[in-house]
mmCIF file of all heavy atoms in Angstrom:
data_model
loop_
_atom_site.group_PDB
_atom_site.id
_atom_site.type_symbol
_atom_site.label_atom_id
_atom_site.label_comp_id
_atom_site.label_asym_id
_atom_site.label_seq_id
_atom_site.Cartn_x
_atom_site.Cartn_y
_atom_site.Cartn_z
ATOM 1 N N PHE A 1217 19.086 -16.011 -4.950
ATOM 2 C CA PHE A 1217 17.714 -16.069 -4.730
ATOM 3 C C PHE A 1217 16.993 -16.705 -5.941
ATOM 4 O O PHE A 1217 15.758 -16.647 -6.036
ATOM 5 C CB PHE A 1217 17.172 -14.656 -4.374
ATOM 6 C CG PHE A 1217 17.720 -14.129 -3.100
ATOM 7 C CD1 PHE A 1217 18.714 -13.235 -3.035
ATOM 8 C CD2 PHE A 1217 17.210 -14.650 -1.873
ATOM 9 C CE1 PHE A 1217 19.249 -12.806 -1.808
ATOM 10 C CE2 PHE A 1217 17.681 -14.222 -0.672
ATOM 11 C CZ PHE A 1217 18.765 -13.295 -0.624
ATOM 12 N N SER A 1218 17.715 -17.212 -6.830
ATOM 13 C CA SER A 1218 17.107 -18.014 -7.911
ATOM 14 C C SER A 1218 16.632 -19.362 -7.371
ATOM 15 O O SER A 1218 15.794 -20.057 -7.967
ATOM 16 C CB SER A 1218 18.140 -18.256 -9.066
ATOM 17 O OG SER A 1218 19.250 -18.940 -8.622
ATOM 18 N N ASP A 1219 17.147 -19.785 -6.172
ATOM 19 C CA ASP A 1219 16.719 -21.016 -5.514
ATOM 20 C C ASP A 1219 15.407 -20.680 -4.809
ATOM 21 O O ASP A 1219 15.368 -19.914 -3.844
ATOM 22 C CB ASP A 1219 17.797 -21.395 -4.559
ATOM 23 C CG ASP A 1219 17.370 -22.648 -3.782
ATOM 24 O OD1 ASP A 1219 16.259 -23.164 -4.035
ATOM 25 O OD2 ASP A 1219 18.152 -23.107 -2.897
ATOM 26 N N ARG A 1220 14.340 -21.266 -5.243
ATOM 27 C CA ARG A 1220 13.030 -20.872 -4.768
ATOM 28 C C ARG A 1220 12.836 -21.264 -3.290
ATOM 29 O O ARG A 1220 11.921 -20.816 -2.626
ATOM 30 C CB ARG A 1220 11.922 -21.446 -5.635
ATOM 31 C CG ARG A 1220 11.726 -20.770 -6.962
ATOM 32 C CD ARG A 1220 10.483 -21.160 -7.651
ATOM 33 N NE ARG A 1220 9.282 -20.912 -6.885
ATOM 34 C CZ ARG A 1220 8.660 -19.646 -6.790
ATOM 35 N NH1 ARG A 1220 9.130 -18.694 -7.433
ATOM 36 N NH2 ARG A 1220 7.525 -19.566 -6.085
ATOM 37 N N SER A 1221 13.638 -22.212 -2.833
ATOM 38 C CA SER A 1221 13.473 -22.678 -1.445
ATOM 39 C C SER A 1221 14.016 -21.637 -0.446
ATOM 40 O O SER A 1221 13.782 -21.731 0.742
ATOM 41 C CB SER A 1221 14.203 -23.995 -1.196
ATOM 42 O OG SER A 1221 15.567 -23.869 -1.328
ATOM 43 N N THR A 1222 14.851 -20.691 -0.943
ATOM 44 C CA THR A 1222 15.418 -19.648 -0.043
ATOM 45 C C THR A 1222 15.183 -18.294 -0.624
ATOM 46 O O THR A 1222 16.030 -17.592 -1.063
ATOM 47 C CB THR A 1222 16.914 -19.863 0.168
ATOM 48 O OG1 THR A 1222 17.550 -19.917 -1.138
ATOM 49 C CG2 THR A 1222 17.176 -21.157 0.966
ATOM 50 N N PRO A 1223 13.915 -17.793 -0.633
ATOM 51 C CA PRO A 1223 13.545 -16.541 -1.266
ATOM 52 C C PRO A 1223 14.124 -15.337 -0.514
ATOM 53 O O PRO A 1223 14.417 -14.281 -1.134
ATOM 54 C CB PRO A 1223 12.029 -16.484 -1.292
ATOM 55 C CG PRO A 1223 11.671 -17.336 -0.112
ATOM 56 C CD PRO A 1223 12.710 -18.400 -0.046
ATOM 57 N N VAL A 1224 14.265 -15.378 0.791
ATOM 58 C CA VAL A 1224 14.690 -14.270 1.590
ATOM 59 C C VAL A 1224 15.634 -14.721 2.690
ATOM 60 O O VAL A 1224 15.580 -15.848 3.117
ATOM 61 C CB VAL A 1224 13.473 -13.454 2.225
ATOM 62 C CG1 VAL A 1224 12.731 -12.694 1.150
ATOM 63 C CG2 VAL A 1224 12.552 -14.482 2.902
ATOM 64 N N THR A 1225 16.446 -13.773 3.201
ATOM 65 C CA THR A 1225 17.268 -14.051 4.256
ATOM 66 C C THR A 1225 17.607 -12.712 5.027
ATOM 67 O O THR A 1225 17.493 -11.660 4.394
ATOM 68 C CB THR A 1225 18.619 -14.710 3.870
ATOM 69 O OG1 THR A 1225 19.374 -15.082 4.976
ATOM 70 C CG2 THR A 1225 19.433 -13.746 3.041
ATOM 71 N N LEU A 1226 17.904 -12.851 6.254
ATOM 72 C CA LEU A 1226 18.175 -11.554 7.023
ATOM 73 C C LEU A 1226 19.008 -11.820 8.179
ATOM 74 O O LEU A 1226 18.680 -12.727 9.038
ATOM 75 C CB LEU A 1226 16.799 -10.962 7.517
ATOM 76 C CG LEU A 1226 16.774 -9.579 8.078
ATOM 77 C CD1 LEU A 1226 17.190 -8.602 7.039
ATOM 78 C CD2 LEU A 1226 15.399 -9.252 8.607
ATOM 79 N N ASP A 1227 20.196 -11.184 8.357
ATOM 80 C CA ASP A 1227 21.048 -11.399 9.463
ATOM 81 C C ASP A 1227 20.627 -10.450 10.600
ATOM 82 O O ASP A 1227 19.833 -9.537 10.399
ATOM 83 C CB ASP A 1227 22.526 -11.224 9.122
ATOM 84 C CG ASP A 1227 22.859 -9.836 8.584
ATOM 85 O OD1 ASP A 1227 22.175 -8.856 8.956
ATOM 86 O OD2 ASP A 1227 23.825 -9.706 7.808
ATOM 87 N N SER A 1228 21.211 -10.593 11.754
ATOM 88 C CA SER A 1228 20.783 -9.801 12.932
ATOM 89 C C SER A 1228 20.995 -8.303 12.760
ATOM 90 O O SER A 1228 20.227 -7.527 13.163
ATOM 91 C CB SER A 1228 21.498 -10.317 14.196
ATOM 92 O OG SER A 1228 22.898 -10.262 14.075
ATOM 93 N N GLU A 1229 22.179 -7.948 12.163
ATOM 94 C CA GLU A 1229 22.465 -6.527 11.932
ATOM 95 C C GLU A 1229 21.459 -5.869 10.931
ATOM 96 O O GLU A 1229 20.873 -4.778 11.203
ATOM 97 C CB GLU A 1229 23.899 -6.335 11.457
ATOM 98 C CG GLU A 1229 24.254 -4.875 11.280
ATOM 99 C CD GLU A 1229 25.684 -4.713 10.720
ATOM 100 O OE1 GLU A 1229 26.393 -5.679 10.650
ATOM 101 O OE2 GLU A 1229 26.089 -3.485 10.494
ATOM 102 N N GLY A 1230 21.258 -6.592 9.877
ATOM 103 C CA GLY A 1230 20.285 -6.125 8.873
ATOM 104 C C GLY A 1230 18.888 -6.048 9.484
ATOM 105 O O GLY A 1230 18.144 -5.125 9.151
ATOM 106 N N ALA A 1231 18.555 -7.061 10.322
ATOM 107 C CA ALA A 1231 17.219 -7.017 10.898
ATOM 108 C C ALA A 1231 16.999 -5.736 11.814
ATOM 109 O O ALA A 1231 15.966 -5.125 11.728
ATOM 110 C CB ALA A 1231 17.017 -8.261 11.750
ATOM 111 N N GLY A 1232 18.018 -5.421 12.546
ATOM 112 C CA GLY A 1232 17.865 -4.238 13.357
ATOM 113 C C GLY A 1232 17.735 -2.929 12.488
ATOM 114 O O GLY A 1232 16.930 -2.071 12.858
ATOM 115 N N ASP A 1233 18.514 -2.856 11.388
ATOM 116 C CA ASP A 1233 18.404 -1.694 10.536
ATOM 117 C C ASP A 1233 17.037 -1.635 9.871
ATOM 118 O O ASP A 1233 16.468 -0.506 9.784
ATOM 119 C CB ASP A 1233 19.514 -1.687 9.475
ATOM 120 C CG ASP A 1233 20.911 -1.433 10.039
ATOM 121 O OD1 ASP A 1233 21.011 -0.939 11.159
ATOM 122 O OD2 ASP A 1233 21.892 -1.793 9.405
ATOM 123 N N LEU A 1234 16.579 -2.712 9.357
ATOM 124 C CA LEU A 1234 15.272 -2.771 8.718
ATOM 125 C C LEU A 1234 14.130 -2.509 9.664
ATOM 126 O O LEU A 1234 13.205 -1.726 9.367
ATOM 127 C CB LEU A 1234 15.071 -4.086 8.007
ATOM 128 C CG LEU A 1234 13.733 -4.250 7.233
ATOM 129 C CD1 LEU A 1234 13.665 -3.204 6.124
ATOM 130 C CD2 LEU A 1234 13.712 -5.656 6.526
ATOM 131 N N ARG A 1235 14.173 -3.064 10.867
ATOM 132 C CA ARG A 1235 13.169 -2.791 11.822
ATOM 133 C C ARG A 1235 13.136 -1.333 12.188
ATOM 134 O O ARG A 1235 12.042 -0.773 12.338
ATOM 135 C CB ARG A 1235 13.465 -3.688 13.078
ATOM 136 C CG ARG A 1235 12.402 -3.740 14.074
ATOM 137 C CD ARG A 1235 12.535 -4.956 14.981
ATOM 138 N NE ARG A 1235 13.849 -5.008 15.615
ATOM 139 C CZ ARG A 1235 14.747 -5.951 15.374
ATOM 140 N NH1 ARG A 1235 14.534 -6.921 14.555
ATOM 141 N NH2 ARG A 1235 15.935 -5.878 16.010
ATOM 142 N N ALA A 1236 14.271 -0.661 12.316
ATOM 143 C CA ALA A 1236 14.331 0.750 12.608
ATOM 144 C C ALA A 1236 13.668 1.584 11.464
ATOM 145 O O ALA A 1236 12.933 2.544 11.708
ATOM 146 C CB ALA A 1236 15.647 1.197 12.930
ATOM 147 N N ALA A 1237 13.969 1.158 10.239
ATOM 148 C CA ALA A 1237 13.425 1.877 9.118
ATOM 149 C C ALA A 1237 11.936 1.757 9.015
ATOM 150 O O ALA A 1237 11.237 2.684 8.520
ATOM 151 C CB ALA A 1237 14.087 1.369 7.861
ATOM 152 N N LEU A 1238 11.404 0.641 9.431
ATOM 153 C CA LEU A 1238 9.939 0.409 9.244
ATOM 154 C C LEU A 1238 9.128 0.845 10.487
ATOM 155 O O LEU A 1238 7.897 0.701 10.424
ATOM 156 C CB LEU A 1238 9.724 -1.115 9.051
ATOM 157 C CG LEU A 1238 10.413 -1.796 7.846
ATOM 158 C CD1 LEU A 1238 10.069 -3.302 7.763
ATOM 159 C CD2 LEU A 1238 9.984 -1.087 6.536
ATOM 160 N N ALA A 1239 9.789 1.379 11.477
ATOM 161 C CA ALA A 1239 9.091 1.658 12.729
ATOM 162 C C ALA A 1239 7.805 2.466 12.578
ATOM 163 O O ALA A 1239 6.850 2.173 13.314
ATOM 164 C CB ALA A 1239 10.012 2.345 13.666
ATOM 165 N N ASP A 1240 7.808 3.431 11.687
ATOM 166 C CA ASP A 1240 6.585 4.267 11.550
ATOM 167 C C ASP A 1240 5.637 3.793 10.512
ATOM 168 O O ASP A 1240 4.574 4.397 10.244
ATOM 169 C CB ASP A 1240 7.000 5.711 11.161
ATOM 170 C CG ASP A 1240 7.830 6.412 12.306
ATOM 171 O OD1 ASP A 1240 7.484 6.043 13.477
ATOM 172 O OD2 ASP A 1240 8.701 7.205 12.032
ATOM 173 N N TRP A 1241 5.942 2.685 9.853
ATOM 174 C CA TRP A 1241 5.087 2.017 8.827
ATOM 175 C C TRP A 1241 4.186 1.030 9.497
ATOM 176 O O TRP A 1241 4.561 -0.139 9.704
ATOM 177 C CB TRP A 1241 5.959 1.430 7.783
ATOM 178 C CG TRP A 1241 5.205 0.963 6.524
ATOM 179 C CD1 TRP A 1241 4.171 1.625 5.886
ATOM 180 C CD2 TRP A 1241 5.471 -0.213 5.828
ATOM 181 N NE1 TRP A 1241 3.806 0.909 4.747
ATOM 182 C CE2 TRP A 1241 4.562 -0.258 4.758
ATOM 183 C CE3 TRP A 1241 6.340 -1.280 5.985
ATOM 184 C CZ2 TRP A 1241 4.531 -1.321 3.804
ATOM 185 C CZ3 TRP A 1241 6.309 -2.364 5.064
ATOM 186 C CH2 TRP A 1241 5.373 -2.375 3.990
ATOM 187 N N THR A 1242 2.993 1.439 9.927
ATOM 188 C CA THR A 1242 2.144 0.597 10.632
ATOM 189 C C THR A 1242 0.802 0.471 9.920
ATOM 190 O O THR A 1242 0.534 1.191 8.980
ATOM 191 C CB THR A 1242 1.880 1.210 12.088
ATOM 192 O OG1 THR A 1242 1.246 2.417 11.972
ATOM 193 C CG2 THR A 1242 3.268 1.390 12.826
ATOM 194 N N VAL A 1243 -0.066 -0.396 10.497
ATOM 195 C CA VAL A 1243 -1.396 -0.497 9.961
ATOM 196 C C VAL A 1243 -2.141 0.836 9.951
ATOM 197 O O VAL A 1243 -2.772 1.255 8.997
ATOM 198 C CB VAL A 1243 -2.214 -1.579 10.704
ATOM 199 C CG1 VAL A 1243 -3.667 -1.590 10.270
ATOM 200 C CG2 VAL A 1243 -1.600 -2.954 10.521
ATOM 201 N N ASP A 1244 -1.986 1.537 11.088
ATOM 202 C CA ASP A 1244 -2.616 2.795 11.227
ATOM 203 C C ASP A 1244 -2.080 3.880 10.289
ATOM 204 O O ASP A 1244 -2.813 4.723 9.744
ATOM 205 C CB ASP A 1244 -2.610 3.305 12.673
ATOM 206 C CG ASP A 1244 -3.458 2.447 13.651
ATOM 207 O OD1 ASP A 1244 -4.313 1.785 13.174
ATOM 208 O OD2 ASP A 1244 -3.209 2.520 14.850
ATOM 209 N N SER A 1245 -0.722 3.914 10.172
ATOM 210 C CA SER A 1245 -0.161 4.923 9.316
ATOM 211 C C SER A 1245 -0.475 4.726 7.834
ATOM 212 O O SER A 1245 -0.715 5.671 7.049
ATOM 213 C CB SER A 1245 1.357 5.023 9.536
ATOM 214 O OG SER A 1245 1.972 3.900 8.986
ATOM 215 N N VAL A 1246 -0.650 3.458 7.426
ATOM 216 C CA VAL A 1246 -1.025 3.155 6.059
ATOM 217 C C VAL A 1246 -2.498 3.617 5.846
ATOM 218 O O VAL A 1246 -2.808 4.241 4.808
ATOM 219 C CB VAL A 1246 -0.866 1.707 5.732
ATOM 220 C CG1 VAL A 1246 -1.482 1.279 4.394
ATOM 221 C CG2 VAL A 1246 0.592 1.321 5.757
ATOM 222 N N ALA A 1247 -3.369 3.243 6.779
ATOM 223 C CA ALA A 1247 -4.791 3.648 6.649
ATOM 224 C C ALA A 1247 -4.922 5.147 6.625
ATOM 225 O O ALA A 1247 -5.689 5.717 5.871
ATOM 226 C CB ALA A 1247 -5.578 3.070 7.769
ATOM 227 N N GLU A 1248 -4.170 5.854 7.433
ATOM 228 C CA GLU A 1248 -4.263 7.319 7.519
ATOM 229 C C GLU A 1248 -3.746 7.935 6.200
ATOM 230 O O GLU A 1248 -4.342 8.875 5.667
ATOM 231 C CB GLU A 1248 -3.393 7.865 8.721
ATOM 232 C CG GLU A 1248 -3.522 9.363 8.832
ATOM 233 C CD GLU A 1248 -2.730 9.879 10.053
ATOM 234 O OE1 GLU A 1248 -2.212 9.050 10.805
ATOM 235 O OE2 GLU A 1248 -2.638 11.082 10.186
ATOM 236 N N ALA A 1249 -2.716 7.372 5.642
ATOM 237 C CA ALA A 1249 -2.074 7.910 4.409
ATOM 238 C C ALA A 1249 -2.992 7.635 3.154
ATOM 239 O O ALA A 1249 -3.146 8.581 2.352
ATOM 240 C CB ALA A 1249 -0.707 7.360 4.229
ATOM 241 N N LEU A 1250 -3.581 6.479 3.089
ATOM 242 C CA LEU A 1250 -4.251 6.056 1.858
ATOM 243 C C LEU A 1250 -5.744 6.475 1.910
ATOM 244 O O LEU A 1250 -6.349 6.636 0.883
ATOM 245 C CB LEU A 1250 -4.116 4.606 1.603
ATOM 246 C CG LEU A 1250 -2.708 4.117 1.408
ATOM 247 C CD1 LEU A 1250 -2.701 2.653 0.907
ATOM 248 C CD2 LEU A 1250 -1.899 4.942 0.451
ATOM 249 N N GLY A 1251 -6.343 6.510 3.143
ATOM 250 C CA GLY A 1251 -7.789 6.892 3.199
ATOM 251 C C GLY A 1251 -8.719 5.680 3.114
ATOM 252 O O GLY A 1251 -8.301 4.522 2.720
ATOM 253 N N ASP A 1252 -9.973 5.930 3.465
ATOM 254 C CA ASP A 1252 -10.969 4.936 3.565
ATOM 255 C C ASP A 1252 -11.231 4.191 2.245
ATOM 256 O O ASP A 1252 -11.414 2.989 2.150
ATOM 257 C CB ASP A 1252 -12.291 5.430 4.049
ATOM 258 C CG ASP A 1252 -12.214 5.852 5.541
ATOM 259 O OD1 ASP A 1252 -11.248 5.375 6.203
ATOM 260 O OD2 ASP A 1252 -13.043 6.583 6.016
ATOM 261 N N ARG A 1253 -11.269 4.962 1.110
ATOM 262 C CA ARG A 1253 -11.563 4.355 -0.220
ATOM 263 C C ARG A 1253 -10.548 3.292 -0.588
ATOM 264 O O ARG A 1253 -10.915 2.186 -0.936
ATOM 265 C CB ARG A 1253 -11.649 5.421 -1.281
ATOM 266 C CG ARG A 1253 -12.094 4.839 -2.633
ATOM 267 C CD ARG A 1253 -12.165 5.885 -3.731
ATOM 268 N NE ARG A 1253 -10.858 6.336 -4.172
ATOM 269 C CZ ARG A 1253 -10.643 7.145 -5.212
ATOM 270 N NH1 ARG A 1253 -11.690 7.615 -5.906
ATOM 271 N NH2 ARG A 1253 -9.469 7.528 -5.550
ATOM 272 N N ALA A 1254 -9.316 3.631 -0.352
ATOM 273 C CA ALA A 1254 -8.249 2.622 -0.750
ATOM 274 C C ALA A 1254 -8.236 1.423 0.216
ATOM 275 O O ALA A 1254 -8.086 0.257 -0.204
ATOM 276 C CB ALA A 1254 -6.881 3.273 -0.651
ATOM 277 N N MET A 1255 -8.486 1.644 1.539
ATOM 278 C CA MET A 1255 -8.513 0.556 2.467
ATOM 279 C C MET A 1255 -9.733 -0.392 2.178
ATOM 280 O O MET A 1255 -9.568 -1.612 2.287
ATOM 281 C CB MET A 1255 -8.557 1.072 3.885
ATOM 282 C CG MET A 1255 -7.359 1.945 4.283
ATOM 283 S SD MET A 1255 -5.758 1.196 3.863
ATOM 284 C CE MET A 1255 -5.678 -0.182 5.050
ATOM 285 N N ARG A 1256 -10.858 0.172 1.857
ATOM 286 C CA ARG A 1256 -11.978 -0.673 1.580
ATOM 287 C C ARG A 1256 -11.725 -1.524 0.282
ATOM 288 O O ARG A 1256 -12.093 -2.667 0.127
ATOM 289 C CB ARG A 1256 -13.241 0.141 1.375
ATOM 290 C CG ARG A 1256 -13.820 0.683 2.672
ATOM 291 C CD ARG A 1256 -15.263 1.189 2.498
ATOM 292 N NE ARG A 1256 -15.345 2.267 1.484
ATOM 293 C CZ ARG A 1256 -15.219 3.529 1.757
ATOM 294 N NH1 ARG A 1256 -14.990 3.948 2.994
ATOM 295 N NH2 ARG A 1256 -15.365 4.451 0.800
ATOM 296 N N ALA A 1257 -11.029 -0.909 -0.726
ATOM 297 C CA ALA A 1257 -10.640 -1.620 -1.913
ATOM 298 C C ALA A 1257 -9.679 -2.734 -1.632
ATOM 299 O O ALA A 1257 -9.719 -3.836 -2.274
ATOM 300 C CB ALA A 1257 -10.003 -0.655 -2.934
ATOM 301 N N PHE A 1258 -8.770 -2.540 -0.699
ATOM 302 C CA PHE A 1258 -7.886 -3.588 -0.271
ATOM 303 C C PHE A 1258 -8.680 -4.846 0.199
ATOM 304 O O PHE A 1258 -8.321 -5.970 -0.168
ATOM 305 C CB PHE A 1258 -6.990 -3.181 0.858
ATOM 306 C CG PHE A 1258 -5.714 -2.404 0.448
ATOM 307 C CD1 PHE A 1258 -5.208 -1.517 1.313
ATOM 308 C CD2 PHE A 1258 -5.256 -2.490 -0.830
ATOM 309 C CE1 PHE A 1258 -4.060 -0.709 0.918
ATOM 310 C CE2 PHE A 1258 -4.141 -1.767 -1.225
ATOM 311 C CZ PHE A 1258 -3.524 -0.837 -0.342
ATOM 312 N N ASP A 1259 -9.720 -4.646 0.871
ATOM 313 C CA ASP A 1259 -10.577 -5.717 1.390
ATOM 314 C C ASP A 1259 -11.151 -6.488 0.192
ATOM 315 O O ASP A 1259 -11.522 -7.710 0.355
ATOM 316 C CB ASP A 1259 -11.677 -5.203 2.247
ATOM 317 C CG ASP A 1259 -11.139 -4.667 3.573
ATOM 318 O OD1 ASP A 1259 -10.027 -5.108 3.972
ATOM 319 O OD2 ASP A 1259 -11.848 -3.879 4.250
ATOM 320 N N ARG A 1260 -11.310 -5.859 -0.912
ATOM 321 C CA ARG A 1260 -11.852 -6.504 -2.163
ATOM 322 C C ARG A 1260 -10.744 -6.912 -3.097
ATOM 323 O O ARG A 1260 -10.950 -7.369 -4.245
ATOM 324 C CB ARG A 1260 -12.787 -5.537 -2.954
ATOM 325 C CG ARG A 1260 -13.979 -5.008 -2.103
ATOM 326 C CD ARG A 1260 -14.931 -4.202 -2.981
ATOM 327 N NE ARG A 1260 -14.347 -3.098 -3.707
ATOM 328 C CZ ARG A 1260 -14.220 -1.845 -3.182
ATOM 329 N NH1 ARG A 1260 -14.660 -1.641 -1.953
ATOM 330 N NH2 ARG A 1260 -13.716 -0.882 -3.906
ATOM 331 N N GLU A 1261 -9.493 -6.928 -2.597
ATOM 332 C CA GLU A 1261 -8.318 -7.298 -3.375
ATOM 333 C C GLU A 1261 -8.129 -6.436 -4.605
ATOM 334 O O GLU A 1261 -7.722 -6.880 -5.615
ATOM 335 C CB GLU A 1261 -8.331 -8.751 -3.697
ATOM 336 C CG GLU A 1261 -8.300 -9.654 -2.485
ATOM 337 C CD GLU A 1261 -8.222 -11.130 -2.861
ATOM 338 O OE1 GLU A 1261 -8.250 -11.413 -4.033
ATOM 339 O OE2 GLU A 1261 -8.083 -11.962 -1.911
ATOM 340 N N GLN A 1262 -8.454 -5.144 -4.490
ATOM 341 C CA GLN A 1262 -8.259 -4.193 -5.520
ATOM 342 C C GLN A 1262 -7.192 -3.185 -5.102
ATOM 343 O O GLN A 1262 -7.312 -2.656 -3.981
ATOM 344 C CB GLN A 1262 -9.562 -3.469 -5.893
ATOM 345 C CG GLN A 1262 -10.669 -4.400 -6.365
ATOM 346 C CD GLN A 1262 -10.295 -5.078 -7.713
ATOM 347 O OE1 GLN A 1262 -9.750 -4.450 -8.633
ATOM 348 N NE2 GLN A 1262 -10.705 -6.322 -7.830
ATOM 349 N N ILE A 1263 -6.230 -2.918 -5.973
ATOM 350 C CA ILE A 1263 -5.073 -2.080 -5.493
ATOM 351 C C ILE A 1263 -5.115 -0.674 -6.182
ATOM 352 O O ILE A 1263 -4.292 0.166 -5.788
ATOM 353 C CB ILE A 1263 -3.760 -2.801 -5.758
ATOM 354 C CG1 ILE A 1263 -3.484 -3.016 -7.235
ATOM 355 C CG2 ILE A 1263 -3.691 -4.058 -4.978
ATOM 356 C CD1 ILE A 1263 -2.106 -3.529 -7.561
#
């Protein structure tokens, strides 16, 4: 991954595993976990 033209890669088996791991990580779950103050700060590019 020192080659900047290929920063990431994912095979079909890995994709299925990663997709399953991320299933509950959604826009709504992030907003619920972090709260309004943090989400409004994201809109201002503040982390």
Side-chain angles (χ1 to χ4, degrees):
F1217 293 102
S1218 61
D1219 179 0
R1220 287 192 58 81
S1221 68
T1222 54
V1224 287
T1225 187
L1226 192 63
D1227 60 28
S1228 58
E1229 181 180 356
D1233 289 342
L1234 181 56
R1235 193 160 52 245
L1238 301 180
D1240 294 328
W1241 190 41
T1242 65
V1243 173
D1244 289 342
S1245 69
V1246 171
E1248 182 179 355
L1250 300 190
D1252 290 341
R1253 184 178 74 170
M1255 299 309 293
R1256 289 195 300 270
F1258 279 155
D1259 292 338
R1260 303 189 301 273
E1261 298 186 355
Q1262 298 296 321
I1263 65 172

